[in-house]
């Protein structure tokens, strides 16, 4: 559920740790980020597929107030406190190993989110807003599209 949330919304790992159940609207997937970078508040949105994954987590977690994501012990009991930033790092690293893909860090999910937006034709300013960046140059550095996509863009431009 944490990975689905991060990939669907582009939120930072520190933002994930601070989300409470009250910050998440299960009906429309709206996340109210209360303590973003620089203590800025913002809104993020979760797509339908990721909301289904979060719903499954909530079926296990329960609906009592508190952090949206909690640590789970080795004996599968859910602790009544927020998950740590380091735990999120460990979860993502472990899942990358299990998937037999290159090592992955939490910020890679953020870069992937921005890249997917740009690949979908979303303009860079909207991507900047969705990522919570104040500077559009930061968003541009998150663009992981390769040279092939740049050449495709030029071909499209020439055909206009």
């Amino acid at each position: 559920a944490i990975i689905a949330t991060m990939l669907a919304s582009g939120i930072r790992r520190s933002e994930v740790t601070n989300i409470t159940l009250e910050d998440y609207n299960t009906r429309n997937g709206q996340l109210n980020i209360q303590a973003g970078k620089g203590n800025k508040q913002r809104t993020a949105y979760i797509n339908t597929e990721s909301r289904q994954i979060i719903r499954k987590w909530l079926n296990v977690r329960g609906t009592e107030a508190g952090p949206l994501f909690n640590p789970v012990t080795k004996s599968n009991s859910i602790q009544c406190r927020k998950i740590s930033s380091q735990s999120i790092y460990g979860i993502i690293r472990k899942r990358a190993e299990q998937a037999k893909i290159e090592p992955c860090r939490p910020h890679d999910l953020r870069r992937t989110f921005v890249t997917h937006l740009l690949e979908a034709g979303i303009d860079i300013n909207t991507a900047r807003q969705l990522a919570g960046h104040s500077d559009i140059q930061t968003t541009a550095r998150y663009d992981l599209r390769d040279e092939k996509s740049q050449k495709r863009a030029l071909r499209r431009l020439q055909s206009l």
Side-chain angles (χ1 to χ4, degrees):
I2 289 171
I3 293 171
T5 300
M6 293 177 76
L7 273 174
S9 65
I11 63 175
R12 298 170 178 91
R13 126 173 94 148
S14 62
E15 294 169 335
V16 172
T17 66
N18 290 312
I19 297 171
T20 65
L21 186 60
E22 296 76 28
D23 293 328
Y24 176 58
N25 184 321
T26 57
R27 284 188 207 87
N28 65 13
Q30 181 176 319
L31 279 175
N32 294 316
I33 309 299
Q34 303 296 334
K37 190 171 182 177
N39 277 331
K40 292 180 189 169
Q41 292 183 349
R42 66 186 178 100
T43 302
Y45 299 92
I46 306 295
N47 61 32
T48 303
E49 184 179 341
S50 296
R51 286 199 317 257
Q52 291 171 353
I53 294 168
I54 295 169
R55 189 174 302 117
K56 288 178 184 178
W57 161 248
L58 290 175
N59 287 339
V60 174
R61 177 205 176 274
T63 56
E64 53 279 343
L68 181 59
F69 298 111
N70 313 82
V72 179
T73 66
K74 290 183 183 189
S75 62
N76 287 328
S77 68
I78 298 172
Q79 298 181 329
C80 297
R81 61 181 174 88
K82 71 180 187 176
I83 193 164
S84 73
S85 183
Q86 190 59 38
S87 293
I88 292 172
Y89 188 93
I91 289 167
I92 292 170
R93 191 186 78 239
K94 180 180 178 181
R95 294 295 181 234
E97 287 173 10
Q98 290 173 335
K100 295 182 181 5
I101 61 174
E102 290 183 32
C104 185
R105 297 175 304 277
H107 216 70
D108 293 331
L109 301 179
R110 206 163 142 67
R111 289 183 190 95
T112 299
F113 170 74
V114 169
T115 299
H116 285 172
L117 289 172
L118 297 172
E119 286 175 339
I122 305 301
D123 67 273
I124 195 163
N125 189 51
T126 301
R128 176 194 66 79
Q129 293 169 336
L130 290 169
H133 290 147
S134 53
D135 185 350
I136 205 162
Q137 292 302 315
T138 304
T139 310
R141 287 194 303 269
Y142 280 53
D143 186 356
L144 300 176
R145 293 176 294 176
D146 61 10
E147 197 173 303
K148 287 180 187 176
S149 65
Q150 293 171 17
K151 288 179 182 177
R152 274 194 306 269
L154 286 175
R155 281 195 301 273
R156 271 198 226 151
L157 183 61
Q158 291 170 352
S159 67
L160 294 178

